[in-house]
Amino acid sequence: MATKTEPIARIEARITPELKAMFQTAADIENITLCEFLVKSAREAAGSTIANHNVLKLSAEDSKAFVEAILNPAEPNEALKAAAKRYKQEFGSAS
């Protein structure tokens, strides 16, 4: 938990009595307080949500196409060459 020098933030939520009873039962099973259970559960859910958001998931077919494009890139087409030329005119050379 927080030390004496750490600020403590408070979160409030309105829930049904049935949901509170379910949370309390789960906390009792784990032999922790309701507050500890809620913080632990929210931390785990937040970590999972963030991890899932930060991971790019590709199908096997998409993975093969990605690797193929990196290992054997296509030659630049006219549109890409024109875009590179406009970029160099606008911003100069990178080197």
Side-chain angles (χ1 to χ4, degrees):
M1 281 275 144
T3 64
K4 290 182 181 181
T5 58
E6 268 185 272
I8 296 176
R10 184 173 195 87
I11 297 176
E12 293 186 35
R14 297 193 181 276
I15 58 173
T16 64
E18 295 81 14
L19 191 53
K20 182 180 179 190
M22 183 170 69
F23 293 161
Q24 184 64 61
T25 300
D28 293 344
I29 290 169
E30 292 197 9
N31 197 31
I32 58 178
T33 68
L34 178 58
C35 184
E36 290 169 329
F37 176 79
L38 293 173
V39 169
K40 174 180 171 269
S41 298
R43 182 185 303 120
E44 290 170 359
S48 176
T49 298
I50 292 167
N52 287 338
H53 177 77
N54 290 333
V55 172
L56 176 64
K57 296 178 183 177
L58 299 175
S59 68
E61 184 178 325
D62 290 338
S63 296
K64 288 178 185 175
F66 178 75
V67 169
E68 180 63 28
I70 289 176
L71 295 178
N72 300 305
E75 291 295 319
N77 61 21
E78 292 307 312
L80 182 58
K81 289 177 185 177
K85 184 177 179 180
R86 283 192 311 274
Y87 178 87
K88 286 179 183 177
Q89 289 172 343
E90 182 77 22
F91 300 104
S93 178
S95 47

